[in-house]
Amino acid sequence: THHARAFVDADGAASEGSEGNNQKKTSYKPAAAAPQPLPAAVDLHRLEQTYDGTERVVGVTTVPEGLAVDIAYDGEFQAPIDAGIYAVVATVADPNYQGQASGTLVVAKARAIVTLDHLVQGYDGTPKPVDVSTDPEGMEVAVAYAESGAQNGLMRIRSSSLPPISAGRYSVEAVAEDENHEGTSGGTLEILPASQTIDFPDVGDRLTTEVVDLSALASSGLPVNFAVASGPARIDGQALSFSAAGE
């Protein structure tokens, strides 16, 4: 403790060291230093999560245990919901401690179930899209149809988002398109040839020297080709001729 003395003389001038009647005595103590926050350890966990429609909060532990912590996700103090990658900073919010930790939260897309249906259809001259359903319902789905074929001795695969028309077999792939979900499904679309009838008059018995002009009419309107099923005969275009007697 330090002491100081001062008095004022009749002329109002201050001087030191006197013990006169006008003496004033004061005392003071040096200010104590403010206590410094103690270091605290902060650890982040649950940094890999999957979208489920709720806030994706990271886990935080501290040493000492139970300290209050402020958590920021890309600078925001509200935990994210959507799938994505977020920078996380956790800061101790206790006046007696200081500490911080940073990390990266990865919220993965949830799995979506994609189901294909109506994979066998009949040709009728119109496009034949497959039916697609998703779980969760109502998701956008991109569908691609691919047909394999040989060209110049090499196998080519032609893929298109347009559903095919012609009879044949087509590979189908459906991919769910959603910012919070992912899922795929594959299958084979088969377009069966349309049924038809052919009106083909009986040739009947003929002489071996005859040439028969064949005719037939398909209900589909398609042209009809002819071939010898059995017997000594030949067909040239629509002309049937015989090389010997037979049945």
Side-chain angles (χ1 to χ4, degrees):
T1 300
H2 300 272
H3 298 276
R5 295 191 302 273
F7 74 95
V8 179
D9 61 16
D11 296 327
S15 63
E16 295 183 0
S18 172
E19 297 290 341
N21 293 333
N22 293 326
Q23 177 179 295
K24 183 179 181 181
K25 184 176 181 182
T26 62
S27 63
Y28 65 93
K29 296 181 180 180
Q36 296 298 311
L38 299 175
V42 182
D43 181 55
L44 297 175
H45 52 94
R46 293 206 310 268
L47 291 173
E48 294 183 1
Q49 303 188 42
T50 301
Y51 171 84
D52 68 356
T54 66
E55 292 185 355
R56 302 288 80 196
V57 180
V58 300
V60 180
T61 56
T62 63
V63 178
E65 294 183 1
L67 296 178
V69 177
D70 291 330
I71 306 173
Y73 304 84
D74 282 351
E76 302 291 335
F77 289 103
Q78 183 171 356
I81 295 176
D82 294 333
I85 299 175
Y86 304 88
V88 180
V89 177
T91 305
V92 171
D94 187 306
N96 297 315
Y97 293 91
Q98 62 181 2
Q100 189 178 80
S102 60
T104 301
L105 168 63
V106 178
V107 181
K109 292 184 177 183
R111 180 175 178 268
I113 299 174
V114 182
T115 304
L116 299 177
D117 199 3
H118 208 195
L119 291 172
V120 178
Q121 304 184 48
Y123 171 84
D124 64 2
T126 64
K128 297 299 173 185
V130 299
D131 292 337
V132 183
S133 60
T134 63
D135 183 10
E137 296 181 355
M139 295 179 58
E140 293 290 333
V141 179
V143 182
Y145 302 86
E147 180 185 21
S148 299
Q151 182 179 2
N152 298 327
L154 299 175
M155 185 61 68
R156 304 290 185 186
I157 298 178
R158 297 178 294 276
S159 180
S160 173
S161 60
L162 300 176
I165 297 175
S166 301
R169 293 172 62 86
Y170 302 85
S171 296
V172 182
E173 183 178 22
V175 180
E177 296 183 333
D178 186 288
E179 65 178 2
N180 291 315
H181 298 85
E182 59 184 1
T184 63
S185 181
T188 300
L189 167 64
E190 184 174 7
I191 302 178
L192 302 175
S195 61
Q196 62 179 342
T197 59
I198 298 177
D199 182 13
F200 181 33
D202 185 35
V203 174
D205 295 334
R206 299 284 181 164
L207 298 174
T208 59
T209 57
E210 287 187 83
V211 175
V212 181
D213 187 21
L214 301 174
S215 65
L217 182 64
S219 61
S220 65
L222 296 172
V224 178
N225 296 319
F226 301 94
V228 175
S230 64
R234 57 173 293 183
I235 293 178
D236 185 9
Q238 293 181 232
L240 171 64
S241 58
F242 308 96
S243 57
E247 295 183 355

